[in-house]
Amino acid sequence: MAAVDTTLKDPATVALPGLGRALISAGKLTQKVAEDIYRKSQASRTSFIAELTGSGAISAADLAHAVSSVFGAPLLDLGAVDPLRLPKDLLDAKICSAYRVVVLAKRSNRLIIASADPTDQEAAEKIKFTTQMGVDWVIAEYDKLSALVDTNSKSTSESLEALNSSGDFEFDDVPVEAAPESQDNAGAEVEDAPIVKFLHKMLIDAFNMRASDLHFEPYEHQYRVRFRIDGELREIASPPIAIKDKLASRIKVISRLDISEKRIPQDGRMKLKVGPDRVIDFRVSTLPTLFGEKIVIRILDPSSAKMGIDALGYDPEEKARLLHAIGRPYGMILVTGPTGSGKTVSLYTCLNLLNQPGVNIATAEDPSEINLPGVNQVNVNEKAGLTFAAALKSFLRQDPDIIMVGEIRDLETADISIKAAQTGHLVLSTLHTNDAPTTLTRMRNMGIAPFNIASSVILITAQRLARRLCPQCKAPADIPHEALLDAGFTDEELDGSWAPYKAVGCSACNNGYKGRVGIYQVMPISEEIQRIILRDGSAMDIAAQAKAEGVRSLRESGLHKVKAGLTSLEEVLAVTNL
């Protein structure tokens, strides 16, 4: 559906809004009547179209037909639309209410929106900015449109009220002590009912939309809330900037942070009960910015560690290598990748498999993200002297079988981890490197002796997360043979028995993607790779040997996912652009 051209130029009517000029051009209004109605709308602070239909100068039905005819846009009778079947959560309810619009459908990266006034450029720009999607107008009668918007708004309000009073929805809420000077305002700020409802709704919406993070961001004249969904940030709401301090105080109280301290970053946690037996953990981080505190909330769903290794997207041979490594009694297993690549979930999936009554497991993290019963978890506290190295030294005096270190950051931590792996313990940890072979050279550059690396590391997994194609709307992609060869496919693989898919987009997904799938490079440390390490070989030497032993690179693993129809070639090229 083509976008509507709403540009009308008439010098004589330039002071009027676009809708008024269009109606004059169509002979539906006189210049004088249009100007009178516009002045009344300005005086009463209402929209031109509301004053126009309310004055009786033109009926809502006649207006809709005229607008449809002038702009060549389709006309829809909203009376024939079932409100329950309209897509949800594609556009914030406040925007729908403010601009009197209703989202009818999503097609590819464009929204089909019912409006009575397609000349409203402010509405179009706001929708485009918020959703990062184009807009195609469908004309509807203003009275029916307003009634539908108000009904949806009322339903949202009632659901919020029910949500706020539901016994199945509550915070693990333990207030912190506030400084004396903040006591007067603290109670009012954190118990403000609209703030409580808004925060509850944002958290529930984020959970339902499978978001990984919520960003609450204050600016000079704007306050926005964004969710990271499938690895991409999307603006969800633009609440009034006046709520920024009250919302920050509410989040701090729930997270057991100091609401009086606004000058330094703070970190905390909170829990949300979303059912009789379902509790979601949130990690909270505050950061002072020019115009207030930015707050990022990471959703830590404990069930993600219990999904099982099959749900992570390992291919059969990769899964077999990993399971063989974690079944060994001692040695070091490293998971590498950038922030947000799913390293923690992979580690906890392994720990969940190893978590048995006869096994003593200890973890040191900064901070602990997923609570796992039966595992002794320690939060690193640098200020108090509880570093990774100090925690590891303590672990070794606690008779551990398995140790998990959140991240190897320095030589001391690396040395203790390697000694633990060499003395009968299974050690799991992470490093920030691009792929598996470069992890070994990175450890060498940290100052670890080659023989210590060769004798302790038993397997390295590098990983990325790629967006998974929506199974409902994905479609075959017409990609030239040469482009597939350039991406890394071989002529043998391009035998015509399969076709790559592309993202399309529908109401059930996010621009053609729904969820994410892991891309892995699982590299066991064979005897030949040990020899390369001992003679201080380069990452390229290790990569060549690993390939000879059948280890796929990240790009090759990603292309295998493309061939299986799980993700698109564009997505794999983006996440494996090494």
Side-chain angles (χ1 to χ4, degrees):
M1 186 183 296
V4 177
D5 181 8
T6 60
T7 304
L8 293 174
K9 296 181 180 179
D10 183 356
T13 59
V14 70
L16 291 172
L19 182 62
R21 301 198 300 272
L23 294 174
I24 292 172
S25 299
K28 297 295 182 180
L29 287 180
T30 65
Q31 177 81 25
K32 183 179 185 307
V33 170
E35 290 178 351
D36 288 343
I37 291 173
Y38 180 64
R39 280 194 291 268
K40 288 179 181 178
S41 70
Q42 292 291 95
S44 59
R45 296 181 179 274
T46 58
S47 67
F48 176 77
I49 193 170
E51 190 67 35
L52 178 65
T53 54
S55 68
I58 186 172
S59 68
D62 288 344
L63 174 64
H65 281 86
V67 171
S68 174
S69 176
V70 170
F71 294 110
L75 180 64
L76 175 68
D77 180 9
L78 286 180
V81 174
D82 181 0
L84 298 178
R85 303 193 66 174
L86 292 173
K88 308 295 183 187
D89 301 323
L90 290 178
L91 186 60
D92 184 73
K94 290 184 178 180
I95 296 177
C96 294
S97 180
Y99 297 104
R100 316 311 275 177
V101 295
V102 170
V103 180
L104 300 175
K106 175 186 172 187
R107 189 171 297 167
S108 186
N109 65 336
R110 301 187 71 82
L111 292 179
I112 301 173
I113 294 182
S115 171
D117 183 6
T119 68
D120 191 344
Q121 292 299 319
E122 182 181 340
E125 293 302 321
K126 182 69 173 179
I127 294 168
K128 289 177 184 177
F129 178 77
T130 301
T131 64
Q132 296 300 301
M133 288 186 276
V135 175
D136 290 326
W137 295 118
V138 171
I139 308 303
E141 297 172 32
Y142 184 74
D143 52 353
K144 294 180 180 179
L145 186 65
S146 293
L148 182 55
V149 169
D150 290 338
T151 299
N152 289 344
S153 179
K154 183 179 179 182
S155 299
T156 302
S157 177
E158 288 173 351
S159 65
L160 272 176
E161 194 68 42
L163 184 68
N164 193 44
S165 59
S166 170
D168 287 340
F169 180 87
E170 59 185 37
F171 283 107
D172 179 9
D173 199 350
V174 180
V176 295
E177 293 184 4
E181 60 270 20
S182 68
Q183 294 283 4
D184 294 338
N185 298 324
E189 287 190 352
V190 301
E191 298 301 335
D192 191 304
I195 301 299
V196 173
K197 292 177 184 177
F198 177 75
L199 177 59
H200 284 192
K201 183 180 188 312
M202 289 296 99
L203 293 174
I204 288 295
D205 283 353
F207 178 72
N208 290 336
M209 295 169 72
R210 302 170 62 89
S212 60
D213 302 88
L214 299 85
H215 293 239
F216 297 87
E217 302 170 317
Y219 298 97
E220 186 174 9
H221 303 296
Q222 179 193 9
Y223 191 75
R224 70 178 178 180
V225 181
R226 295 192 291 174
F227 294 173
R228 188 176 292 279
I229 302 172
D230 296 338
E232 289 191 340
L233 279 171
R234 290 177 54 192
E235 184 170 342
I236 300 299
S238 296
I241 195 169
I243 77 167
K244 64 178 183 179
D245 292 330
K246 292 182 179 181
L247 185 60
S249 295
R250 175 65 183 171
I251 294 172
K252 283 180 174 181
V253 164
I254 299 170
S255 309
R256 301 180 175 90
L257 301 178
D258 185 354
I259 64 174
S260 67
E261 182 55 79
K262 302 179 181 181
R263 300 164 298 175
I264 60 173
Q266 297 187 66
D267 295 299
R269 297 178 71 99
M270 61 186 180
K271 293 178 182 289
L272 180 67
K273 183 180 179 184
V274 294
D277 57 354
R278 186 74 181 275
V279 176
I280 306 300
D281 287 320
F282 296 89
R283 189 181 74 195
V284 179
S285 173
T286 71
L287 179 70
T289 65
L290 286 177
F291 303 106
E293 289 179 286
K294 174 179 177 177
I295 299 176
V296 176
I297 301 178
R298 167 69 59 89
I299 299 176
L300 308 171
D301 188 356
S303 64
S304 62
K306 301 178 182 179
M307 292 187 302
I309 196 167
D310 292 323
L312 299 183
Y314 284 95
D315 289 333
E317 61 269 30
E318 296 169 344
K319 173 185 171 183
R321 292 172 188 153
L322 181 60
L323 290 178
H324 178 262
I326 66 174
R328 293 176 63 172
Y330 60 88
M332 178 180 285
I333 297 172
L334 295 171
V335 180
T336 75
T339 301
S341 60
K343 299 189 297 295
T344 300
V345 172
S346 294
L347 284 175
Y348 269 92
T349 299
C350 294
L351 288 181
N352 195 50
L353 294 173
L354 297 168
N355 189 16
Q356 303 294 331
V359 178
N360 180 18
I361 303 176
T363 74
E365 301 167 82
D366 184 21
S368 175
E369 294 191 358
I370 298 173
N371 292 335
L372 196 59
V375 174
N376 306 288
Q377 297 172 277
V378 174
N379 275 337
V380 168
N381 187 338
E382 300 277 354
K383 292 182 179 179
L386 182 56
T387 62
F388 280 116
L392 275 171
K393 289 177 182 177
S394 181
F395 287 168
L396 294 175
R397 294 191 291 270
Q398 296 258 324
D399 186 30
D401 297 299
I402 299 166
I403 296 172
M404 196 268 272
V405 184
E407 182 184 351
I408 294 178
R409 296 178 179 174
D410 52 55
L411 179 59
E412 185 182 10
T413 303
D415 274 338
I416 300 172
S417 299
I418 283 174
K419 288 175 183 175
Q422 291 171 334
T423 55
H425 306 91
L426 184 64
V427 179
L428 289 78
S429 189
T430 70
L431 271 176
H432 288 276
T433 57
N434 287 332
D435 59 7
T438 57
T439 302
L440 296 169
T441 54
R442 165 83 175 111
M443 295 179 74
R444 183 72 187 91
N445 291 337
M446 290 174 69
I448 304 170
F451 65 86
N452 278 333
I453 300 173
S455 64
S456 59
V457 180
I458 58 176
L459 181 132
I460 300 172
T461 296
Q463 65 181 68
R464 300 289 189 276
L465 286 179
R467 291 181 294 172
R468 188 189 293 266
L469 284 168
C470 174
Q472 296 186 27
C473 66
K474 67 180 183 181
D478 185 15
I479 302 176
H481 185 83
E482 294 76 12
L484 293 173
L485 290 174
D486 289 341
F489 285 107
T490 63
D491 282 313
E492 291 76 17
E493 290 175 311
L494 301 177
D495 55 7
S497 62
W498 63 278
Y501 285 87
K502 65 180 180 180
V504 177
C506 65
S507 59
C509 66
N510 178 29
N511 292 334
Y513 297 96
K514 188 174 183 180
R516 291 193 281 181
V517 62
I519 296 175
Y520 303 95
Q521 180 186 27
V522 182
M523 187 180 78
I525 306 303
S526 63
E527 290 185 1
E528 187 55 42
I529 291 179
Q530 287 179 334
R531 293 190 186 98
I532 296 173
I533 297 170
L534 289 171
R535 64 171 184 262
D536 213 8
S538 67
M540 289 186 290
D541 297 332
I542 297 169
Q545 179 60 33
K547 185 173 184 178
E549 295 175 3
V551 176
R552 290 195 189 104
S553 68
L554 280 168
R555 172 63 61 84
E556 291 168 342
S557 181
L559 295 178
H560 190 70
K561 296 289 193 298
V562 173
K563 191 174 179 180
L566 295 175
T567 188
S568 65
L569 180 61
E570 293 84 0
E571 187 69 8
V572 168
L573 295 179
V575 301
T576 63
N577 186 20
L578 304 177

